[in-house]
Amino acid sequence: MQIIDKLITPVLIAVVVKILFSKINKDNLKDIVENQSKEHIQIRLPKVYLWVGCGVIIVFAAFIAFMILVPNDTAAAWVFVGFVVLICIGAAIVLQAMLWKIEIFRSQNYFIIRPLIKTYRVKYDDCIFYKYGTNSLTLKTKKRTFYIDTYARGFEFFLAMLIKYKVPEKK
């Protein structure tokens, strides 16, 4: 029985992750087609992130409710605290998915980025370099550094604008 559990769990996780990334790629391709001729493009985090964050909140809130309604000796305070921390992480994912965005304009020499709460207007001339990573792009400007998820919807347009304005890529 334990061999089946040890085999099913990783396979199930791999299947769920594959489905999530497939959904992200499908939505991103749809956005590329829709934004092809637009002057103003918004780059946003994938909608899947919002659903994952909500799922984390719901699951661990249910675990806490179950711990309260059906108390037993194994439910220690550290388990409760761990679930609360995971709920906070889920809430952070939801907030990030709802608030984070970049706005680019094809005919302007700047973009607007809102990492979470504060909004920044950044000229492409102020960009020192960008470094393309596996899951994120690091953009260094004269005043700050921004981290941009490469799975964001419309990310390709932002990368194209960096190339258009000759922002150097750091290898």
Side-chain angles (χ1 to χ4, degrees):
M1 185 67 177
Q2 286 198 3
I3 289 214
I4 293 174
D5 289 343
K6 289 182 180 182
L7 187 64
I8 289 178
T9 302
V11 169
L12 188 60
I13 290 171
V15 167
V16 169
V17 168
K18 179 69 176 166
I19 290 170
L20 289 175
F21 279 106
S22 175
K23 175 73 172 138
I24 289 170
N25 288 333
K26 182 181 173 188
D27 289 347
N28 285 353
L29 286 174
K30 184 178 147 193
D31 277 358
I32 288 172
V33 171
E34 289 175 3
N35 289 325
Q36 203 68 25
S37 61
K38 289 184 178 177
E39 160 66 21
H40 173 240
I41 300 169
Q42 281 194 1
I43 291 105
R44 302 197 65 103
L45 292 177
K47 293 175 185 175
V48 171
Y49 289 15
L50 181 68
W51 293 109
V52 168
C54 288
V56 167
I57 292 169
I58 291 168
V59 165
F60 289 103
F63 288 169
I64 287 175
F66 188 73
M67 283 176 56
I68 292 170
L69 295 174
V70 186
N72 63 22
D73 296 337
T74 61
W78 65 269
V79 175
F80 182 83
V81 170
F83 288 163
V84 169
V85 167
L86 290 169
I87 288 172
C88 291
I89 291 170
I93 292 170
V94 168
L95 277 174
Q96 192 80 345
M98 291 174 58
L99 299 177
W100 185 94
K101 72 177 176 179
I102 299 174
E103 296 182 66
I104 60 172
F105 309 89
R106 290 185 194 253
S107 62
Q108 301 295 326
N109 67 343
Y110 67 90
F111 60 93
I112 298 170
I113 184 167
R114 184 172 66 189
L116 194 54
I117 296 173
K118 189 171 181 183
T119 302
Y120 302 95
R121 183 175 178 225
V122 180
K123 290 186 175 187
Y124 292 104
D125 294 341
D126 292 339
C127 298
I128 299 169
F129 69 85
Y130 71 91
K131 184 174 182 177
Y132 198 90
T134 306
N135 297 321
S136 69
L137 180 137
T138 303
L139 179 64
K140 177 75 174 148
T141 67
K142 291 178 180 175
K143 295 184 180 179
R144 58 190 48 85
T145 302
F146 298 103
Y147 300 95
I148 300 153
D149 190 330
T150 57
Y151 293 106
R153 298 181 343 240
F155 171 78
E156 296 80 6
F157 293 103
F158 181 67
L159 186 59
M161 292 299 282
L162 292 175
I163 293 168
K164 175 183 174 182
Y165 283 95
K166 297 178 177 46
V167 176
E169 179 179 8
K170 184 177 181 181
K171 301 286 180 181

mmCIF file of all heavy atoms in Angstrom, residues 43-78:
data_model
loop_
_atom_site.group_PDB
_atom_site.id
_atom_site.type_symbol
_atom_site.label_atom_id
_atom_site.label_comp_id
_atom_site.label_asym_id
_atom_site.label_seq_id
_atom_site.Cartn_x
_atom_site.Cartn_y
_atom_site.Cartn_z
ATOM 1 N N ILE A 43 0.224 43.928 -19.053
ATOM 2 C CA ILE A 43 0.829 42.637 -18.730
ATOM 3 C C ILE A 43 0.398 42.313 -17.310
ATOM 4 O O ILE A 43 0.579 43.125 -16.397
ATOM 5 C CB ILE A 43 2.369 42.692 -18.847
ATOM 6 C CG1 ILE A 43 2.768 42.843 -20.314
ATOM 7 C CG2 ILE A 43 3.006 41.439 -18.311
ATOM 8 C CD1 ILE A 43 3.216 44.174 -20.670
ATOM 9 N N ARG A 44 -0.230 41.151 -17.127
ATOM 10 C CA ARG A 44 -0.740 40.757 -15.818
ATOM 11 C C ARG A 44 -0.307 39.327 -15.512
ATOM 12 O O ARG A 44 0.008 38.564 -16.415
ATOM 13 C CB ARG A 44 -2.255 40.876 -15.789
ATOM 14 C CG ARG A 44 -2.704 42.310 -16.103
ATOM 15 C CD ARG A 44 -4.099 42.576 -15.705
ATOM 16 N NE ARG A 44 -4.306 42.504 -14.284
ATOM 17 C CZ ARG A 44 -4.427 43.560 -13.484
ATOM 18 N NH1 ARG A 44 -4.311 44.759 -13.965
ATOM 19 N NH2 ARG A 44 -4.680 43.411 -12.216
ATOM 20 N N LEU A 45 -0.341 38.993 -14.242
ATOM 21 C CA LEU A 45 -0.024 37.615 -13.852
ATOM 22 C C LEU A 45 -1.144 36.687 -14.322
ATOM 23 O O LEU A 45 -2.295 37.109 -14.459
ATOM 24 C CB LEU A 45 0.149 37.529 -12.337
ATOM 25 C CG LEU A 45 1.380 38.246 -11.792
ATOM 26 C CD1 LEU A 45 1.411 38.168 -10.276
ATOM 27 C CD2 LEU A 45 2.660 37.663 -12.362
ATOM 28 N N PRO A 46 -0.830 35.423 -14.561
ATOM 29 C CA PRO A 46 -1.847 34.476 -15.038
ATOM 30 C C PRO A 46 -3.016 34.348 -14.056
ATOM 31 O O PRO A 46 -2.836 34.413 -12.839
ATOM 32 C CB PRO A 46 -1.087 33.156 -15.139
ATOM 33 C CG PRO A 46 0.342 33.535 -15.266
ATOM 34 C CD PRO A 46 0.493 34.808 -14.480
ATOM 35 N N LYS A 47 -4.204 34.140 -14.605
ATOM 36 C CA LYS A 47 -5.401 33.964 -13.774
ATOM 37 C C LYS A 47 -5.296 32.715 -12.902
ATOM 38 O O LYS A 47 -5.889 32.650 -11.834
ATOM 39 C CB LYS A 47 -6.639 33.877 -14.667
ATOM 40 C CG LYS A 47 -6.943 35.156 -15.381
ATOM 41 C CD LYS A 47 -8.113 35.001 -16.342
ATOM 42 C CE LYS A 47 -8.313 36.280 -17.126
ATOM 43 N NZ LYS A 47 -9.339 36.161 -18.150
ATOM 44 N N VAL A 48 -4.515 31.756 -13.364
ATOM 45 C CA VAL A 48 -4.327 30.518 -12.600
ATOM 46 C C VAL A 48 -3.742 30.824 -11.222
ATOM 47 O O VAL A 48 -4.086 30.179 -10.234
ATOM 48 C CB VAL A 48 -3.429 29.536 -13.386
ATOM 49 C CG1 VAL A 48 -3.035 28.353 -12.541
ATOM 50 C CG2 VAL A 48 -4.134 29.072 -14.649
ATOM 51 N N TYR A 49 -2.873 31.836 -11.130
ATOM 52 C CA TYR A 49 -2.277 32.206 -9.843
ATOM 53 C C TYR A 49 -3.362 32.594 -8.842
ATOM 54 O O TYR A 49 -3.285 32.262 -7.669
ATOM 55 C CB TYR A 49 -1.302 33.366 -9.995
ATOM 56 C CG TYR A 49 -0.006 33.046 -10.692
ATOM 57 C CD1 TYR A 49 0.184 31.880 -11.432
ATOM 58 C CD2 TYR A 49 1.056 33.923 -10.624
ATOM 59 C CE1 TYR A 49 1.372 31.603 -12.063
ATOM 60 C CE2 TYR A 49 2.268 33.658 -11.254
ATOM 61 C CZ TYR A 49 2.416 32.506 -11.975
ATOM 62 O OH TYR A 49 3.601 32.239 -12.594
ATOM 63 N N LEU A 50 -4.363 33.325 -9.322
ATOM 64 C CA LEU A 50 -5.472 33.735 -8.461
ATOM 65 C C LEU A 50 -6.219 32.512 -7.932
ATOM 66 O O LEU A 50 -6.516 32.418 -6.735
ATOM 67 C CB LEU A 50 -6.428 34.646 -9.239
ATOM 68 C CG LEU A 50 -7.631 35.185 -8.495
ATOM 69 C CD1 LEU A 50 -7.197 36.166 -7.416
ATOM 70 C CD2 LEU A 50 -8.582 35.864 -9.460
ATOM 71 N N TRP A 51 -6.460 31.553 -8.813
ATOM 72 C CA TRP A 51 -7.183 30.342 -8.403
ATOM 73 C C TRP A 51 -6.353 29.486 -7.451
ATOM 74 O O TRP A 51 -6.887 28.916 -6.501
ATOM 75 C CB TRP A 51 -7.609 29.537 -9.627
ATOM 76 C CG TRP A 51 -8.638 30.262 -10.427
ATOM 77 C CD1 TRP A 51 -8.486 30.840 -11.653
ATOM 78 C CD2 TRP A 51 -9.985 30.543 -10.033
ATOM 79 N NE1 TRP A 51 -9.642 31.452 -12.043
ATOM 80 C CE2 TRP A 51 -10.587 31.282 -11.066
ATOM 81 C CE3 TRP A 51 -10.735 30.235 -8.905
ATOM 82 C CZ2 TRP A 51 -11.896 31.718 -11.009
ATOM 83 C CZ3 TRP A 51 -12.050 30.671 -8.847
ATOM 84 C CH2 TRP A 51 -12.611 31.402 -9.883
ATOM 85 N N VAL A 52 -5.058 29.416 -7.690
ATOM 86 C CA VAL A 52 -4.183 28.655 -6.786
ATOM 87 C C VAL A 52 -4.179 29.297 -5.400
ATOM 88 O O VAL A 52 -4.307 28.613 -4.383
ATOM 89 C CB VAL A 52 -2.747 28.546 -7.358
ATOM 90 C CG1 VAL A 52 -1.782 28.028 -6.310
ATOM 91 C CG2 VAL A 52 -2.742 27.638 -8.582
ATOM 92 N N GLY A 53 -4.045 30.618 -5.351
ATOM 93 C CA GLY A 53 -4.061 31.326 -4.066
ATOM 94 C C GLY A 53 -5.372 31.121 -3.320
ATOM 95 O O GLY A 53 -5.375 30.863 -2.110
ATOM 96 N N CYS A 54 -6.487 31.217 -4.042
ATOM 97 C CA CYS A 54 -7.803 30.981 -3.409
ATOM 98 C C CYS A 54 -7.912 29.541 -2.919
ATOM 99 O O CYS A 54 -8.444 29.296 -1.834
ATOM 100 C CB CYS A 54 -8.928 31.287 -4.400
ATOM 101 S SG CYS A 54 -9.150 33.031 -4.744
ATOM 102 N N GLY A 55 -7.411 28.612 -3.713
ATOM 103 C CA GLY A 55 -7.448 27.203 -3.310
ATOM 104 C C GLY A 55 -6.648 26.961 -2.041
ATOM 105 O O GLY A 55 -7.086 26.234 -1.142
ATOM 106 N N VAL A 56 -5.472 27.575 -1.942
ATOM 107 C CA VAL A 56 -4.641 27.431 -0.746
ATOM 108 C C VAL A 56 -5.391 27.979 0.473
ATOM 109 O O VAL A 56 -5.431 27.336 1.533
ATOM 110 C CB VAL A 56 -3.277 28.154 -0.931
ATOM 111 C CG1 VAL A 56 -2.535 28.301 0.376
ATOM 112 C CG2 VAL A 56 -2.427 27.403 -1.951
ATOM 113 N N ILE A 57 -5.996 29.137 0.335
ATOM 114 C CA ILE A 57 -6.747 29.738 1.447
ATOM 115 C C ILE A 57 -7.887 28.825 1.882
ATOM 116 O O ILE A 57 -8.062 28.543 3.069
ATOM 117 C CB ILE A 57 -7.287 31.130 1.057
ATOM 118 C CG1 ILE A 57 -6.128 32.121 0.878
ATOM 119 C CG2 ILE A 57 -8.275 31.644 2.092
ATOM 120 C CD1 ILE A 57 -6.535 33.436 0.248
ATOM 121 N N ILE A 58 -8.659 28.334 0.926
ATOM 122 C CA ILE A 58 -9.823 27.495 1.240
ATOM 123 C C ILE A 58 -9.405 26.184 1.903
ATOM 124 O O ILE A 58 -9.981 25.780 2.920
ATOM 125 C CB ILE A 58 -10.658 27.236 -0.035
ATOM 126 C CG1 ILE A 58 -11.336 28.541 -0.476
ATOM 127 C CG2 ILE A 58 -11.681 26.134 0.183
ATOM 128 C CD1 ILE A 58 -11.940 28.483 -1.864
ATOM 129 N N VAL A 59 -8.400 25.526 1.338
ATOM 130 C CA VAL A 59 -7.975 24.228 1.876
ATOM 131 C C VAL A 59 -7.476 24.364 3.309
ATOM 132 O O VAL A 59 -7.894 23.616 4.203
ATOM 133 C CB VAL A 59 -6.901 23.579 0.965
ATOM 134 C CG1 VAL A 59 -6.195 22.436 1.658
ATOM 135 C CG2 VAL A 59 -7.535 23.106 -0.339
ATOM 136 N N PHE A 60 -6.590 25.326 3.565
ATOM 137 C CA PHE A 60 -6.023 25.427 4.902
ATOM 138 C C PHE A 60 -6.988 26.046 5.906
ATOM 139 O O PHE A 60 -6.910 25.746 7.100
ATOM 140 C CB PHE A 60 -4.665 26.126 4.853
ATOM 141 C CG PHE A 60 -3.633 25.246 4.208
ATOM 142 C CD1 PHE A 60 -3.221 25.470 2.904
ATOM 143 C CD2 PHE A 60 -3.118 24.162 4.889
ATOM 144 C CE1 PHE A 60 -2.296 24.636 2.297
ATOM 145 C CE2 PHE A 60 -2.193 23.312 4.294
ATOM 146 C CZ PHE A 60 -1.781 23.557 2.999
ATOM 147 N N ALA A 61 -7.925 26.861 5.437
ATOM 148 C CA ALA A 61 -8.993 27.337 6.328
ATOM 149 C C ALA A 61 -9.892 26.165 6.722
ATOM 150 O O ALA A 61 -10.331 26.063 7.882
ATOM 151 C CB ALA A 61 -9.798 28.443 5.659
ATOM 152 N N ALA A 62 -10.136 25.260 5.780
ATOM 153 C CA ALA A 62 -10.925 24.064 6.095
ATOM 154 C C ALA A 62 -10.186 23.175 7.093
ATOM 155 O O ALA A 62 -10.796 22.620 8.015
ATOM 156 C CB ALA A 62 -11.229 23.289 4.816
ATOM 157 N N PHE A 63 -8.865 23.053 6.937
ATOM 158 C CA PHE A 63 -8.080 22.279 7.901
ATOM 159 C C PHE A 63 -8.185 22.885 9.304
ATOM 160 O O PHE A 63 -8.337 22.161 10.290
ATOM 161 C CB PHE A 63 -6.615 22.204 7.482
ATOM 162 C CG PHE A 63 -6.353 21.312 6.293
ATOM 163 C CD1 PHE A 63 -5.112 21.333 5.681
ATOM 164 C CD2 PHE A 63 -7.316 20.460 5.776
ATOM 165 C CE1 PHE A 63 -4.836 20.522 4.591
ATOM 166 C CE2 PHE A 63 -7.056 19.648 4.688
ATOM 167 C CZ PHE A 63 -5.813 19.672 4.094
ATOM 168 N N ILE A 64 -8.109 24.205 9.391
ATOM 169 C CA ILE A 64 -8.218 24.872 10.694
ATOM 170 C C ILE A 64 -9.608 24.644 11.278
ATOM 171 O O ILE A 64 -9.750 24.340 12.463
ATOM 172 C CB ILE A 64 -7.898 26.375 10.576
ATOM 173 C CG1 ILE A 64 -6.395 26.562 10.364
ATOM 174 C CG2 ILE A 64 -8.352 27.130 11.821
ATOM 175 C CD1 ILE A 64 -5.968 27.992 10.110
ATOM 176 N N ALA A 65 -10.635 24.786 10.445
ATOM 177 C CA ALA A 65 -12.003 24.555 10.919
ATOM 178 C C ALA A 65 -12.160 23.122 11.421
ATOM 179 O O ALA A 65 -12.776 22.892 12.469
ATOM 180 C CB ALA A 65 -12.994 24.846 9.800
ATOM 181 N N PHE A 66 -11.586 22.175 10.698
ATOM 182 C CA PHE A 66 -11.656 20.777 11.109
ATOM 183 C C PHE A 66 -10.923 20.565 12.431
ATOM 184 O O PHE A 66 -11.401 19.825 13.298
ATOM 185 C CB PHE A 66 -11.066 19.883 10.012
ATOM 186 C CG PHE A 66 -11.269 18.427 10.253
ATOM 187 C CD1 PHE A 66 -12.529 17.850 10.093
ATOM 188 C CD2 PHE A 66 -10.217 17.611 10.656
ATOM 189 C CE1 PHE A 66 -12.726 16.504 10.317
ATOM 190 C CE2 PHE A 66 -10.402 16.267 10.891
ATOM 191 C CZ PHE A 66 -11.664 15.706 10.723
ATOM 192 N N MET A 67 -9.777 21.235 12.602
ATOM 193 C CA MET A 67 -9.027 21.130 13.858
ATOM 194 C C MET A 67 -9.838 21.666 15.039
ATOM 195 O O MET A 67 -9.780 21.113 16.139
ATOM 196 C CB MET A 67 -7.704 21.920 13.774
ATOM 197 C CG MET A 67 -6.622 21.230 12.997
ATOM 198 S SD MET A 67 -5.123 22.241 12.831
ATOM 199 C CE MET A 67 -4.716 22.586 14.526
ATOM 200 N N ILE A 68 -10.585 22.730 14.796
ATOM 201 C CA ILE A 68 -11.388 23.339 15.872
ATOM 202 C C ILE A 68 -12.619 22.497 16.166
ATOM 203 O O ILE A 68 -12.968 22.255 17.329
ATOM 204 C CB ILE A 68 -11.767 24.786 15.498
ATOM 205 C CG1 ILE A 68 -10.506 25.660 15.484
ATOM 206 C CG2 ILE A 68 -12.806 25.347 16.451
ATOM 207 C CD1 ILE A 68 -10.711 27.037 14.896
ATOM 208 N N LEU A 69 -13.282 22.006 15.126
ATOM 209 C CA LEU A 69 -14.523 21.248 15.304
ATOM 210 C C LEU A 69 -14.293 19.829 15.811
ATOM 211 O O LEU A 69 -15.134 19.272 16.512
ATOM 212 C CB LEU A 69 -15.301 21.212 13.987
ATOM 213 C CG LEU A 69 -15.816 22.570 13.494
ATOM 214 C CD1 LEU A 69 -16.431 22.428 12.109
ATOM 215 C CD2 LEU A 69 -16.819 23.156 14.473
ATOM 216 N N VAL A 70 -13.176 19.232 15.428
ATOM 217 C CA VAL A 70 -12.866 17.861 15.841
ATOM 218 C C VAL A 70 -11.487 17.857 16.508
ATOM 219 O O VAL A 70 -10.496 17.447 15.900
ATOM 220 C CB VAL A 70 -12.892 16.896 14.632
ATOM 221 C CG1 VAL A 70 -12.704 15.458 15.086
ATOM 222 C CG2 VAL A 70 -14.153 17.050 13.821
ATOM 223 N N PRO A 71 -11.404 18.316 17.725
ATOM 224 C CA PRO A 71 -10.084 18.383 18.383
ATOM 225 C C PRO A 71 -9.562 16.989 18.730
ATOM 226 O O PRO A 71 -10.324 16.075 19.033
ATOM 227 C CB PRO A 71 -10.363 19.194 19.644
ATOM 228 C CG PRO A 71 -11.820 19.056 19.894
ATOM 229 C CD PRO A 71 -12.477 18.804 18.575
ATOM 230 N N ASN A 72 -8.232 16.858 18.651
ATOM 231 C CA ASN A 72 -7.574 15.626 19.086
ATOM 232 C C ASN A 72 -6.192 15.973 19.624
ATOM 233 O O ASN A 72 -5.751 17.120 19.553
ATOM 234 C CB ASN A 72 -7.520 14.581 17.971
ATOM 235 C CG ASN A 72 -6.706 15.028 16.785
ATOM 236 O OD1 ASN A 72 -5.864 15.904 16.887
ATOM 237 N ND2 ASN A 72 -6.966 14.413 15.645
ATOM 238 N N ASP A 73 -5.490 14.999 20.116
ATOM 239 C CA ASP A 73 -4.200 15.244 20.751
ATOM 240 C C ASP A 73 -3.089 15.564 19.754
ATOM 241 O O ASP A 73 -2.080 16.159 20.122
ATOM 242 C CB ASP A 73 -3.788 14.035 21.591
ATOM 243 C CG ASP A 73 -4.750 13.807 22.754
ATOM 244 O OD1 ASP A 73 -5.419 14.783 23.148
ATOM 245 O OD2 ASP A 73 -4.819 12.671 23.251
ATOM 246 N N THR A 74 -3.259 15.172 18.492
ATOM 247 C CA THR A 74 -2.183 15.376 17.533
ATOM 248 C C THR A 74 -2.160 16.797 16.964
ATOM 249 O O THR A 74 -1.169 17.199 16.374
ATOM 250 C CB THR A 74 -2.298 14.377 16.363
ATOM 251 O OG1 THR A 74 -3.548 14.583 15.702
ATOM 252 C CG2 THR A 74 -2.179 12.962 16.853
ATOM 253 N N ALA A 75 -3.232 17.530 17.097
ATOM 254 C CA ALA A 75 -3.303 18.885 16.549
ATOM 255 C C ALA A 75 -2.634 19.867 17.505
ATOM 256 O O ALA A 75 -3.263 20.450 18.371
ATOM 257 C CB ALA A 75 -4.752 19.276 16.298
ATOM 258 N N ALA A 76 -1.345 20.035 17.336
ATOM 259 C CA ALA A 76 -0.574 20.925 18.195
ATOM 260 C C ALA A 76 -0.718 22.365 17.728
ATOM 261 O O ALA A 76 -1.180 22.637 16.612
ATOM 262 C CB ALA A 76 0.892 20.505 18.178
ATOM 263 N N ALA A 77 -0.291 23.294 18.569
ATOM 264 C CA ALA A 77 -0.372 24.715 18.252
ATOM 265 C C ALA A 77 0.483 25.053 17.030
ATOM 266 O O ALA A 77 0.107 25.910 16.222
ATOM 267 C CB ALA A 77 0.068 25.541 19.450
ATOM 268 N N TRP A 78 1.616 24.359 16.876
ATOM 269 C CA TRP A 78 2.481 24.657 15.732
ATOM 270 C C TRP A 78 1.809 24.279 14.406
ATOM 271 O O TRP A 78 2.074 24.896 13.380
ATOM 272 C CB TRP A 78 3.850 23.991 15.881
ATOM 273 C CG TRP A 78 3.832 22.488 15.867
ATOM 274 C CD1 TRP A 78 3.716 21.659 16.938
ATOM 275 C CD2 TRP A 78 3.903 21.652 14.717
ATOM 276 N NE1 TRP A 78 3.717 20.351 16.538
ATOM 277 C CE2 TRP A 78 3.839 20.319 15.165
ATOM 278 C CE3 TRP A 78 4.022 21.885 13.357
ATOM 279 C CZ2 TRP A 78 3.877 19.239 14.308
ATOM 280 C CZ3 TRP A 78 4.065 20.802 12.501
ATOM 281 C CH2 TRP A 78 3.993 19.488 12.974
#
